[in-house]
C-alpha cells in the first residue's frame, strides 16, 4: 500500500510548544508575501518561449545538480539520469526510466533540503498525494505528465501562481539578452530582469576565454585585442544590461583577493593571456584586479555587486570533460574575506553608490569575518545562506552566527539560488519558516516583542531583498 505524501503544517517550525505557537503567527504574516528572487539561475529563454515543461524527468531530475549529485554519490551514472554528454554519446532517453531511478532511491534524500523542496513541489504545486517509491513511480509520473500538459502549468502561468514579483536571471557578459527583449515586448520586462555575470571574460585561463573576449568585442563594437578596449567593452555591456532592467552583477571567484594592478601590468597580463602565455599566478592576480575594477564600475553605474567565492569548480576532471560544468562536482574550500576584500573596501566601502552582497559556503567565516564586515561597512550586506547552506539547519546557524554582530538589517533577506524553477516557492517557504522560528525564540526569551518580530519577519522575506538590490543613483 502506498504511503501518503502529507506535509505537516508545522514542518521546520520549532519543536518547543510555546515557541512554535509564536512561530506560527510570524510565519502566517509572511507566507503569502510576494517572492523576490534576485540570485537565481532560471533561464530567461524558459519564460520567453513559455513552452510546456517537457516531462517530469527533465523538470525534476536532469537539470538539478542537487538531485543528480546525490544519486551519483551512490553509484548511479549521469548517463543513466539523462544528463547530455558533450560528445553526443548515448544517455538514457526514456524519461520514465529516469523518474523511476529517482523514486527508487527516494530514501537517499532523507534529511536533505532536496527532500524538503521536492516534497513541497510534488504536494503543493502538482497535487501529488503518495510518497515517491519504486512502487509509486509510474503513478506519480502519469499524474505529473498530465498536469504538465495543462496550460496553467506553463512557465508564465507558474510565475503568476508562485506570486513571483521579481525574478532575476544570471546571464554571461556575452549575452545578447534577446530573450529578455522578448519578455519586455510581452510586458514582463519589469518582472524578469537580467544579472550581469562577467566570470567567463575575467578568468583568463578559463575554458574558451579568448573566444568569450572576442564575442564581447563583437557585441559591443570595441576592440578587445587590447586591455583598454576590453574595459570599454565591459562598460558598454553593463550599460546594455542596465537598459534591460538589470540591478546587479554576479561574481564567482575561488578567492577574494581584490588587489588592484597598475594599468601597465594589467595590460601586460591581458596580452599574455591572448597569446596563451599567462601563468596561473598571473591569472589569479588579474582576477583579483578585475574584482576591484568591477567595484569601481559599480560606483559609476550603481549595479549591486554580488560575490560568492570559495568553491573549487568542476572538481572531477572526467565529469567536466564528458558532461561539462555545473554537474554537481563543485566543492567548497575555505574562504577568507577580511584581508582579501580590504583593498576594495578601503577604496569603495563608504562610497554612496556602492553595494556589495557577500555569499559563502564556509560557515566558519560568518561570525569571524562576514558579520563584522557587514556590521561596519555601509556598503556591505550578507547574502542569504547559499548552495549547500540553503537548508533548514544552515539557515538557523546563519542567523545564530551573524545576527548578534551584523543584525538583521545588514543582510539581503532571503534570495534563492536555483535553476529548478518549480522549487522557487519551496525555498522561500522554508526560509520564512526558519526565520519565524528564530524570531519566535527571541520573543519567548523576551529579547524582542512580537510586533517587532513580525515586522522583522516581513522585512526579511520581502522588504530587505528589495532594499538590498535597489540600484543606487547617488553621486
Amino acid at each position: 500500500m502506498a504511503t501518503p505524501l502529507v506535509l505537516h503544517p508545522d514542518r521546520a517550525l520549532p519543536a518547543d510548544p510555546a515557541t512554535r505557537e509564536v512561530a506560527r503567527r510570524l510565519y502566517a504574516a509572511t507566507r503569502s508575501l510576494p517572492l523576490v528572487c534576485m540570485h537565481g539561475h532560471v533561464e530567461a529563454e524558459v519564460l520567453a518561449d513559455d513552452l510546456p515543461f517537457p516531462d517530469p524527468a527533465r523538470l525534476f531530475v536532469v537539470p538539478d545538480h542537487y538531485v543528480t549529485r546525490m544519486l551519483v554519490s551512490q553509484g548511479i551514472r549521469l548517463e543513466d539520469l539523462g544528463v547530455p554528454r558533450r560528445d553526443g554519446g548515448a544517455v538514457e532517453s526514456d524519461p520514465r526510466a529516469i523518474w523511476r531511478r529517482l523514486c527508487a532511491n527516494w530514501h537517499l534524500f532523507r534529511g536533505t533540503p532536496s527532500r524538503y523542496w521536492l516534497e513541497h513541489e510534488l504536494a503543493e504545486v502538482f497535487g501529488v498525494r503518495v510518497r515517491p517509491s519504486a512502487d509509486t513511480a509510474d503513478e506519480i509520473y502519469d499524474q505529473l505528465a498530465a498536469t504538465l500538459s495543462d496550460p496553467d502549468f506553463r512557465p508564465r502561468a507558474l510565475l503568476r501562481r508562485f506570486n513571483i514579483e521579481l525574478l532575476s536571471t544570471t546571464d554571461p557578459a556575452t549575452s545578447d539578452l534577446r530573450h529578455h527583449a522578448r519578455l519586455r515586448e510581452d510586458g514582463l520586462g519589469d518582472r524578469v530582469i537580467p544579472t550581469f555575470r562577467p566570470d567567463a571574460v575575467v578568468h583568463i585561463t578559463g575554458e574558451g576565454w579568448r573566444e568569450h573576449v572576442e564575442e564581447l568585442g563583437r557585441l559591443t563594437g570595441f576592440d578587445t585585442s587590447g586591455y583598454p578596449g576590453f574595459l570599454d567593452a565591459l562598460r558598454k555591456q553593463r550599460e546594455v544590461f542596465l537598459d534591460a532592467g538589470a540591478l546587479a552583477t554576479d561574481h564567482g571567484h575561488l578567492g577574494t583577493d581584490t588587489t588592484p594592478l597598475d594599468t601597465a601590468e594589467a595590460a601586460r597580463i591581458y596580452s599574455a593571456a591572448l597569446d596563451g602565455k599567462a601563468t596561473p599566478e598571473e591569472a589569479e592576480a588579474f582576477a583579483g584586479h578585475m574584482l576591484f575594477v568591477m567595484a569601481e564600475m559599480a560606483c559609476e553605474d550603481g549595479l549591486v555587486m554580488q560575490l560568492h567565492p570559495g568553491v573549487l569548480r568542476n572538481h572531477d576532471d572526467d565529469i567536466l570533460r564528458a558532461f561539462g560544468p555545473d554537474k554537481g562536482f563543485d566543492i567548497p574550500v575555505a574562504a577568507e574575506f577580511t584581508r582579501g576584500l580590504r583593498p576594495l573596501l578601503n577604496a569603495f566601502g563608504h562610497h554612496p553608490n556602492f553595494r556589495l552582497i557577500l555569499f559563502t559556503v564556509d560557515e566558519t567565516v560568518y561570525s569571524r569575518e562576514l558579520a563584522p564586515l557587514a556590521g561596519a561597512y555601509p556598503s556591505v550586506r550578507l547574502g542569504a545562506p547559499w548552495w549547500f547552506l540553503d537548508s533548514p539547519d544552515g539557515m538557523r546557524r546563519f542567523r545564530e552566527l551573524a545576527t548578534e554582530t551584523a543584525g538583521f538589517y545588514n543582510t539581503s533577506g532571503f534570495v534563492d539560488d536555483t535553476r529548478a524553477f518549480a522549487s522557487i516557492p519551496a525555498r522561500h517557504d522554508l526560509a520564512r519558516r526558519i526565520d519565524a522560528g528564530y524570531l519566535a525564540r527571541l520573543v519567548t526569551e523576551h529579547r524582542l516583542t512580537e510586533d517587532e518580530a513580525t515586522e522583522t519577519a516581513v522585512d526579511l522575506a520581502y522588504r530587505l531583498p528589495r532594499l538590498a538590490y535597489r540600484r543606487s543613483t547617488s553621486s
Side-chain angles (χ1 to χ4, degrees), residues 61-91:
V61 183
V62 179
D64 192 340
H65 58 69
Y66 285 96
V67 172
T68 58
R69 74 187 309 272
M70 178 62 78
L71 297 173
V72 169
S73 77
Q74 290 288 308
I76 298 173
R77 303 184 311 151
L78 284 174
E79 288 94 338
D80 296 330
L81 299 172
V83 177
R85 292 181 56 91
R86 279 181 150 180
D87 61 7
V91 301

Side-chain angles (χ1 to χ4, degrees), residues 169-211:
T169 63
T170 301
D171 310 88
T174 52
S175 174
D176 60 12
L177 301 182
R178 65 182 183 277
H179 301 304
H180 281 279
R182 291 165 56 200
L183 289 166
R184 285 199 305 278
E185 291 171 1
D186 292 344
L188 289 172
D190 293 332
R191 197 167 189 174
V192 183
I193 62 174
T195 293
F196 180 79
R197 184 160 185 171
D199 290 2
V201 296
V202 302
H203 296 303
I204 58 178
T205 55
E207 184 178 0
W209 174 77
R210 181 168 183 158
E211 290 76 16

Side-chain angles (χ1 to χ4, degrees), residues 20 108 214 307:
R20 174 174 283 194
L108 299 179
E214 290 172 351
L307 175 62

